[in-house]
Amino acid sequence: GSRNYITILDYRSPKPVANIQPCFYSNLGARSISLSQNTLTIGGTESLSFYDLRAREFLCVSPHKVGLSQFRLQASKGTTINSHLFQRLFGEDSEIYFSVYTHCYDPTQTRLFVGGGPMPAGLSGAYAAIWN
């Protein structure tokens, strides 16, 4: 993976099989990836998206939404330990983005653990949830 794409490789071919651009609202890249059968789950900036490797398209998970937001599940803001240095450097009103740094399915593939924290280096905090 890189900041802009996730490259799928097949050891039998010298060329990449696919270049997937995650559908996040910002260009901050993928932070966690897992594979379950034919679905690639991608954790990024405050969200998860699901990519069908056979159909080569993102799965629509929120059909009532429009644009890219229909292809991702949004995580809520986590908790952040107040950092006076961060506030002094970037201002009190600076938005702190959280990332999904880890995720995994339970053995029945019906629940998903999602964990993460703030993106800026030097900040402490956490986000954890179990999604059904």
Side-chain angles (χ1 to χ4, degrees):
S2 70
R3 185 174 180 159
N4 296 323
Y5 294 94
I6 297 167
T7 302
I8 304 295
L9 302 172
D10 183 343
Y11 71 92
R12 298 170 292 187
S13 172
K15 295 182 180 179
V17 175
N19 284 317
I20 303 166
Q21 185 172 11
C23 55
F24 305 125
Y25 67 86
S26 64
N27 193 17
L28 299 173
R31 302 292 184 209
S32 61
I33 299 173
S34 68
L35 181 63
S36 176
Q37 297 179 4
N38 295 313
T39 303
L40 187 68
T41 306
I42 306 163
T45 309
E46 299 175 357
S47 64
L48 279 176
S49 58
F50 305 87
Y51 187 83
D52 185 327
L53 291 170
R54 285 193 176 166
R56 293 191 179 201
E57 64 183 18
F58 282 96
L59 300 175
C60 182
V61 293
S62 301
H64 60 281
K65 294 184 179 179
V66 295
L68 292 179
S69 60
Q70 67 183 325
F71 299 106
R72 65 173 191 251
L73 293 177
Q74 193 72 30
S76 62
K77 292 280 188 185
T79 59
T80 305
I81 296 172
N82 201 3
S83 170
H84 299 293
L85 178 60
F86 182 83
Q87 290 174 348
R88 195 168 9 143
L89 291 173
F90 299 104
E92 296 231 0
D93 296 332
S94 293
E95 184 160 3
I96 298 172
Y97 292 105
F98 275 70
S99 280
V100 173
Y101 289 117
T102 187
H103 63 275
C104 65
Y105 290 92
D106 75 337
T108 65
Q109 302 286 306
T110 58
R111 291 181 299 204
L112 185 62
F113 169 78
V114 180
M119 288 186 67
L123 284 183
S124 297
Y127 171 82
I130 296 177
W131 295 353
N132 286 323

